[in-house]
Amino acid sequence: MTSLDVSHLTVAFGDRTVIDDLSFNLKEGEISSLLGPSGCGKTTLLRVIAGLLQPREGTIRFGSQLVGLSSVVLPPNKRRTGYVPQQGALFPHLNVAKNIAFGLDKKEFSADQIKKTVSDMLALIGMSGFENQMPTELSGGQQTRVALARALAVKPKLVLLDEPFSALDAELRNELRSDVVALLRSQGTTAILVTHDREEALVSSDKVVLMRDGKIAQYGSPEEVYESPISPSVAASTGDALILNAQQSADGSTTYAISSNGSASQNSMNSNGYVVIRPEEIMVSKSSSNGVNGTLIQLDYYGHDAMLVVKLAESSEIIRARVAGPMDFEVGDKVSVEHRGPIRFFANS
Amino acid sequence: MTKLDQEPIAPPLFTSRGEPAEVHPVLNVLVGLLLSVVLIPFIYLLIRAFEKPLPGIVELLFRGKTLEVLATTAVLLIIVVAVNIFLGTLISAGLHFVQVPKAHLLIVASVLPLAIPSYVFTYTWLALLPSLSGVLAAAFVLILTTLPYMFLAILVSLRRIDNGFIEVARTLGQSRRQIFFRVILPQIRGSISAGALLSGLYVLSDFGAVSLLNVETLTVSIQNMFKSSYDRSAASVISLVLILASVVFIAADERIKDKKAKENVFKRRYTQESRISSLRLKSFVLVLVGMYTSLAVIVPFYVLISRFISNPNPIDVSGLITASVSTISVSALGAVIALVFSAPLGFLIATHAGRFSRFSERIILIGHALPGVVIGLALVSLGSKLGPIYQSVFLLAFAYALLFLAKAVASMTFSLQLVPSVLKEVAATLGKSKAKISTSVVFPIALPSIGLGTLLVFLTAMKELPATLMLRPTGMDTLATQIWSYASINRFNDAAPYALLLVLIAAVPTFLLSMPRAESSSNSAQNESKVGSIA
């Protein structure tokens, strides 16, 4: 395993710049997620790191080894990355054991060593006894596991996962994801996971690389990018976000529709920016009178929690709040709304 | 943005098709060499044709006889292709959209005529109706021969249509008839065109059927000139006309070709429940398919078998064995040469999207337009310069390879493209060099399909008549030439064992390939498209 350093990377297809002067690094053993909407360049970045595409500018280092430079490139077969593409891409003509052994050089390893590696890997992914199955006989989740085993068998410097869970249904997806992440951690693997699922990015990684239009929009630990977004749009891409007009005065106090220092009426307020609030930071109550009054106009019930949509009486602002567990709200209820959390203010630019 | 702009300027290691973008110089040279070999007959014909002074060429082209031959060829071509389009669409749509009992067996039965070459069809029908002759008779026989090309092409693309389109159109208030014309037809236009191309090229290059039925088309005319006067220049001029006709036909198909939409993996299959169950339509389809299979399968087999049984003379077993052995060996040699030639060409086309690749594809397509008579003529004319190869099985095998190179390359390209580029990428990240990726991933996956393609080229070569007649070494008989020589002097009983053997050998793989597979319909669709494009 090794650290990764990507520096001033630019990739272009003709006139179209897909990755634009992008830099980030990963420590040994860190798992990071590349999160972003489709077309933002995250898969391209992964392929450049694997050596499958050549950058126009910039450098890529695995540890101290320079593997990619605009002019000199180490070919993909010399990089030792463990690449796990969507749906696994198992070789259809080889059985599970041969798929896992595919990257093990017969000149380097004896037949016994290869056999041992294969059975170790199968044990690792919980699929001992599947040696002679063909890929078509496996379920989607099993195929992904074998693809991961195949990648890990060569003791890669870096594991690259390109939306490996996207074809699976929700339940299997969560289960397999936590298995895979646990496995990568137990091996101390440096890994990059490409995903467009924000929860997946937050739950599985040490670092989240939030990509937007070929650039890094924000880069940090999951808590950082979720709790301290650098812009309202970054906040929206890591989770649900409520964005309200706000006024920050010279003494630093911030006033917005549900601020605790008394709600400013929209008309009197001289808005000079926004606040970003997570729905779970909003308390909704039928009995309390501490907050701002409003009417519950919509209720989306998800089981483990529910999203309440409240229209404020005074400002007519629409507030979305998440409440956990059992609750006794009904559309039409008069409620009181309160914000208990950090105030993230973004001035108008 | 123009197409060129979208190609990465920074040279990527892998193109969108997943292979190294730069063509290896050895591959370039190899392909260049092969292309010049493919073009030799064509260039030689050009030289021979223009040995004639220009006024002579003009006179030859515009004399009454030539115009008459051209008109005959055109009429025959138009009748066959038009009827094929009509019947082919009806049959394939019927078998696909109507709940016909045992539809898969009907498909197998309707594909079987692909195993019967046109001259065997003609001979069986002549044995039944000795007075048969003329353009209409030739059209009838050639429709029987080529209809499967058409309906297979259409059937394959019908199966690819997402049933979701049909359901959406239904909910938008369209009647079935409207859906057919507004949703289905636009999506199968390309396959109709491809079917028209295959059957049209068959008609243009056919020699056996028209010759037995006394219809003078371009091929017969060339063969006559070749035989009677040895006026090779005149024959070359007419050959060029024939090539031009084929090229025009190919170019027309290129224009109509479907824009390949990315296939939706989540598409809805057309299930048995969604098929039309109207009794009227069911019986219509059954009658249609029944008529075709009676005329194209039952009648020929009945004639062959009854002639075989009623033959009072003892069968010439040693003749039969000798002819089989020479047929099989020379066809196998031809198939192997075609395989060897097609490997670099197919590899280039399948994995390198570039100008040279497209150019090669075009050149090989021209090869598709060279009928057996023309290749035969060119190689015979070249013969004296070829030294010891002339009058040997090698020249004949080489002719087969040239004739079926387009099919071999198509099969090779198709097979190599069966390997998704992501597999090659994974192999690369697992430390395999490009050469190792080819041997450990690409070829193992593509091999069965390549083998199948070679087998089909072999079978097609076995049936080839005019080039065999012109190029076989003196004294060598093949099944095809034996059938021909007996049938052309009306000794149908003596031809029967040879014809029966040839048809049976060709029928087995045709039958196996067209059998539907339970596990994957797309697999059998692929097989059927292979039968259609290669058989």
Side-chain angles (χ1 to χ4, degrees), chain B residues 110-154:
Chain B
S110 321
V111 170
L112 269 187
L114 283 179
I116 308 176
S118 69
Y119 53 91
V120 174
F121 263 122
T122 318
Y123 136 57
T124 55
W125 277 94
L126 273 177
L128 213 60
L129 304 166
S131 62
L132 216 55
S133 86
V135 173
L136 286 180
F140 170 70
V141 170
L142 286 170
I143 289 166
L144 292 185
T145 315
T146 57
L147 188 57
Y149 292 116
M150 181 62 85
F151 95 76
L152 268 180
I154 301 175

Side-chain angles (χ1 to χ4, degrees), chain A residues 245-256 259-262 264 269-275 343-346:
Chain A
N245 285 323
Q247 179 185 9
Q248 192 164 52
S249 49
D251 64 2
S253 70
T254 310
T255 315
Y256 48 97
S259 51
S260 51
N261 54 344
M269 192 173 81
N270 187 10
S271 150
N272 62 355
Y274 304 96
V275 286
I343 296 166
R344 306 179 192 89
F345 179 79
F346 298 93

Side-chain angles (χ1 to χ4, degrees), chain A residues 13-15 47 50-54 56 73 76-77 81 83 85 89-93 102-103 150 154, chain B residues 5-14 422-423 425-433 440-441 444-445:
Chain A
F13 299 135
D15 295 337
R47 291 165 62 82
L52 300 168
L53 277 174
Q54 188 171 347
R56 182 176 284 181
V73 162
N77 50 323
T81 57
Y83 178 46
L90 297 183
F91 300 112
H93 60 300
F102 188 85
R150 178 179 65 186
V154 297
Chain B
D5 289 337
Q6 291 168 345
E7 275 161 29
I9 288 175
L13 287 179
F14 287 79
V422 65
L423 292 183
E425 293 176 353
V426 168
T429 62
L430 289 170
K432 303 289 180 188
S433 65
S440 63
V441 178
I445 296 176

